[in-house]
Amino acid sequence: MHRITLIPGDGIGPEVTSAAVKVIEAAGVSVEWESFVIGAEAIARYGEPLPQPLIESISRNKVALKGPVGTPIASGFASVNVALRKKFDLYANLRPVKNIPGLKTKFDNVDLVIVRENTEDLYSGLEHVVVPGVVESLKIITEKASSRIARFAFEYARKKGRSRVTAVHKANIMKLSDGLFLDCFRQVARDYPDIQSDDIIVDNACMQLVMRPEKYDVLLLENLYGDIVSDLAAGLVGGLGVVPGANIGEHGAIFEAVHGSAPDIAGKNIANPTALIKSAILMLEHINEVDAASRINKALEEQLAEGQVLTRDLGGTATTTEFTDALISRLKG
Ligand code: NAI
């Protein structure tokens, strides 16, 4: 029996997390879920967006499955997503982006992995008004964080049999900050002679990615570029509804989709749960439930490839529930 923290989140979060939980159960994995509210809902109940019992649960369990949580724009509380990653020092954000067999997209040979530094850069939240009408937002890049994320990327490449790590940066303009990130990458690369390494400027990388995405293997990015480029990459393989993610640190891991809380479709039972189910597959691999992970993955890929039961974002008409129930029948059948 595994004990796992569950954060349903808001918007489409509860719909897609409940789908993932049902699929995990159907695969025969026994989990005791500890479920918590977060964000606006937690403020209403606990007076703070990141309640202490949730923090304690993740500290104990070391693994969490998380739905998306909305962050108010330009005012209100700071992102709980960023806060959670910082709190548990989940420094590596991993986003595998791969074509799903049978799912028609502009490309059919994308198989890349985005490794995003998760703890610093412009996400440090250090912003202030210098004088009225002038604000300053601080970009923090450290040798420690840059080297450890580079090492994570090379270790990941080695473990997964991947051949190349490409650092994506803007060191031509941000000579000190991105320059340090790039220097650390090059330094760490020396320890991995078996893995190729190169680098590319972020604007060129975006253009190359939408023209020849098959050229890329593992991409290593700072926090902000990683955030933007992973949405771009998701668009190459079917959109935000199908790309999973993991936030990994030395002492814990939180698994969540790349997408947000999608308020435009929340509560309508039409969200695609694939991204969260794929995140759950990464989680099952992480907790050594490799057989269940591979059975769910196979069933999911078959269902998507057959194309009979698809949600609207993928051109189908199935509801979230119908998609999930079909997947569960496939798993059990
Ligand atoms: P979003 O990812 O929520 O939505 C972008 C577009 O993709 C929308 O049209 C939405 O309907 C569609 N979409 C997203 N997920 C989908 C799914 N599973 N199935 C079908 N369609 C899907 O991005 P947006 O609108 O920029 O952000 C909404 C909120 O989510 C914001 O408050 C933002 O801060 C938050 N957010 C939270 C994240 C997290 O919890 N890790 C990550 C990204 C955003």
Side-chain angles (χ1 to χ4, degrees):
M1 162 81 78
H2 302 277
R3 190 172 292 131
I4 298 175
T5 306
L6 182 69
I7 308 169
D10 49 44
I12 60 169
E15 299 164 61
V16 293
T17 43
S18 119
V21 165
K22 282 189 208 152
V23 169
I24 291 172
E25 272 166 20
V29 182
S30 165
V31 179
E32 189 183 317
W33 299 99
E34 293 180 0
S35 183
F36 293 92
V37 294
I38 192 172
E41 226 180 311
I43 293 183
R45 198 179 300 175
Y46 297 96
E48 54 182 345
L50 210 53
Q52 193 54 29
L54 164 62
I55 302 290
E56 285 163 14
S57 171
I58 300 175
S59 306
R60 261 193 324 271
N61 299 334
K62 315 242 179 302
V63 57
L65 183 65
K66 175 182 167 296
V69 185
T71 307
I73 291 177
S75 61
F77 62 88
S79 167
V80 288
N81 305 310
V82 175
L84 264 182
R85 293 168 197 165
K86 278 197 195 148
K87 177 90 196 160
F88 291 99
D89 199 20
L90 305 174
Y91 66 90
N93 187 265
L94 192 66
R95 294 174 166 184
V97 178
K98 192 174 176 194
N99 277 115
I100 292 169
L103 192 66
K104 250 193 110 27
T105 57
K106 290 202 176 68
F107 302 95
D108 53 15
N109 42 10
V110 181
D111 182 9
L112 57 88
V113 177
I114 293 193
V115 175
R116 165 185 170 193
E117 203 291 322
N118 228 358
T119 61
E120 52 182 32
D121 189 11
L122 278 160
Y123 284 58
S124 302
L126 298 172
E127 288 192 317
H128 58 264
V129 176
V130 181
V131 290
V134 181
V135 296
E136 201 168 44
S137 194
L138 299 180
K139 168 164 173 151
I140 308 293
I141 298 292
T142 65
E143 185 180 339
K144 180 178 170 230
S146 302
S147 298
R148 79 174 169 175
I149 195 67
R151 199 161 291 286
F152 180 94
F154 281 102
E155 285 292 331
Y156 177 86
R158 194 177 262 174
K159 195 163 123 206
K160 298 284 179 180
R162 291 189 169 260
S163 57
R164 185 163 54 111
V165 180
T166 303
V168 181
H169 61 87
K170 190 82 188 173
N172 52 331
I173 303 297
M174 276 159 278
K175 293 182 193 297
L176 288 182
S177 52
D178 285 19
L180 176 60
F181 185 80
L182 188 56
D183 279 349
C184 294
F185 167 73
R186 288 180 174 152
Q187 189 72 35
V188 170
R190 290 194 193 125
D191 293 340
Y192 297 86
D194 48 321
I195 311 283
Q196 297 166 46
S197 64
D198 60 3
D199 66 273
I200 183 168
I201 293 174
V202 62
D203 36 354
N204 183 20
C206 289
M207 190 268 288
Q208 300 285 346
L209 274 169
V210 296
M211 293 191 75
R212 286 179 289 274
E214 72 282 356
K215 279 188 7 183
Y216 292 97
D217 196 343
V218 177
L219 294 175
L220 171 67
L221 304 97
E222 291 169 9
N223 209 341
L224 178 62
Y225 307 145
D227 192 3
I228 297 168
V229 173
S230 43
D231 271 33
L232 181 154
L236 302 172
V237 297
L240 288 170
V242 299
V243 176
N247 301 291
I248 300 171
E250 301 301 333
H251 308 293
I254 299 182
F255 295 82
E256 62 178 337
V258 171
H259 64 71
S261 57
D264 52 338
I265 58 166
K268 296 183 179 160
N269 195 24
I270 57 172
N272 186 353
T274 299
L276 202 76
I277 294 171
K278 285 185 135 229
S279 308
I281 292 171
L282 295 178
M283 181 187 80
L284 291 174
E285 287 169 354
H286 181 81
I287 60 171
N288 288 325
E289 289 285 356
V290 184
D291 175 58
S294 108
R295 281 185 287 117
I296 297 173
N297 195 44
K298 184 165 168 283
L300 184 60
E301 293 212 330
E302 276 171 15
Q303 179 158 321
L304 292 166
E306 279 173 21
Q308 300 297 317
V309 187
L310 296 179
T311 46
R312 289 180 199 197
D313 56 313
L314 301 182
T317 55
T319 61
T320 313
T321 318
E322 285 163 352
F323 182 91
T324 310
D325 289 347
L327 182 58
I328 289 172
S329 311
R330 200 176 276 273
L331 261 173
K332 289 187 163 167

